[in-house]
Amino acid sequence: MTDLVAHARSLFAPGKGILAADESVRTATKRLASYGIATGPEMRRQYRDLFFGAESIEKHLSGIILFPETLLEKGNDGQLFTASLAARGIAPGVKVDGGTEPFPESPDELITQGLLDLHDRLVEYKKQGALFTKWRAVIRIDGDTLPSSMAIHENAKRLASYAKEVQSVGLVPILEPEVLLEGKHSRARARTVIEETLNALFSVLAEHAVDRASVVLKTAMALSGSESGRVDTPEEVAEDTLAALMAAVPSQIAGIVFLSGGQTPDQATANLAAITKHARSVGAPWPLTFSYARALQEESLAVWKGKEEQVPAAREAFLARLAKVSAALT
Ligand code: 5MM
């Protein structure tokens, strides 16, 4: 087994998963504002410290995805975040895409940018302690019209170029083609779109000769759209999610992680538990775990509200959710 494959597999250590803490400046600003928290570089640093400084997170976390600025920052203990995470056996990763922009061929859809200077940035991120990386593409469902196959393919091509480049510098790529929850669509439609998106992705990865063994896939679950008026049962979600994954994802990849995508923390926990159980019964060939941002952070942010005196209680809320999400893996 190569080092890269071993790194990729270590993200799936039993009972552990990934905290996505890679919100861009824009997303972090919006998220903090929604809890009445003023923002700026220092508040973003404290936001990261709230989670990374919580006691014993290494019991449940194999890795944390960082935004590039965080690679260079220190926690309240005076240590670089990357160093204190690595010392606790938590792999630091980094988001390397440059965000989305309208896709010129189909302006209601989004395309991810960031390939131009990618190589040089990767070399720097590696020097700064990153062990893995993430690239997010966004796939929007609108009835039977969107996504267009052009948008699916262009995003797949960029994910493949990203993966190839990342592997060439010796880092693990997490490929995240996120099929959005927003919309009126049915769960069946979400399942079909996830399957189409992943089929396109893995055929382009094969064309680009991307080494599957160190590839980690980050995917949405198959869920009814957030404006459909329907809340799926965990069993329904598990069945349709696994059906899409079994139809499209090669057995050779290192593993699959799930995003929470706007589900409540309880939904994201219950759905993960049902997926874990169903994966065993259908003999799914890959290890599975979580890579949540909102579902892990939400309850803690509501307690914290940016107040120093609330940090212990906010960390307690975070640890309680983290323990529930990890328990969903067993
Ligand atoms: C979809 O967002 C990813 C997973 O988060 P959820 O569990 O909340 O769905 C997350 O890793 C996302 O890619 C980062 O938060 C960065 O997002 P932006 O919008 O800042 O690029």
Side-chain angles (χ1 to χ4, degrees), residues 20-28 31 65 67 95 97 99 134 136 176 178 218 258-262 291-295:
D22 58 322
E23 296 81 5
S24 56
V25 173
R26 196 161 158 258
T27 305
R31 185 132 324 142
I65 315 173
F67 188 64
K95 166 193 175 76
D97 64 74
K134 192 200 79 176
R136 173 170 173 249
E176 181 186 15
E178 178 183 5
K218 177 161 174 168
F258 292 97
L259 59 94
S260 55
S291 173
Y292 295 164
R294 283 166 285 179

Side-chain angles (χ1 to χ4, degrees), residues 166-293:
V166 166
Q167 289 176 338
S168 78
V169 301
L171 291 167
V172 171
I174 299 186
L175 283 67
E176 181 186 15
E178 178 183 5
V179 174
L180 295 178
L181 179 64
E182 285 78 31
K184 295 184 177 143
H185 53 272
S186 64
R187 188 180 66 255
R189 175 77 176 131
R191 166 184 160 171
T192 306
V193 171
I194 291 173
E195 190 176 325
E196 279 172 12
T197 300
L198 297 180
N199 270 324
L201 175 63
F202 285 103
S203 92
V204 178
L205 291 183
E207 282 163 25
H208 283 65
V210 171
D211 175 23
R212 289 168 170 183
S214 67
V215 159
V216 174
L217 171 70
K218 177 161 174 168
T219 182
M221 299 173 187
L223 298 158
S224 300
S226 53
E227 292 135 49
S228 66
R230 194 174 192 293
V231 179
D232 313 294
T233 68
E235 291 68 31
E236 289 170 338
V237 174
E239 205 171 300
D240 280 346
T241 302
L242 261 308
L245 297 177
M246 293 294 272
V249 182
S251 60
Q252 298 89 344
I253 68 162
I256 300 177
V257 299
F258 292 97
L259 59 94
S260 55
Q263 300 177 66
T264 65
D266 280 341
Q267 280 169 344
T269 307
N271 288 338
L272 183 66
I275 288 173
T276 304
K277 195 167 158 215
H278 195 58
R280 284 202 195 102
S281 76
V282 298
W286 347 260
L288 304 173
T289 191
F290 59 88
S291 173
Y292 295 164

Side-chain angles (χ1 to χ4, degrees), residues 24 67-68 95-101 111-118 121 125 134-136:
S24 56
F67 188 64
K95 166 193 175 76
V96 304
D97 64 74
T100 55
E101 61 185 0
I111 193 79
T112 304
Q113 47 182 334
L115 286 173
L116 239 44
D117 57 347
L118 181 60
R121 290 191 292 119
Y125 298 151
K134 192 200 79 176
W135 178 284
R136 173 170 173 249

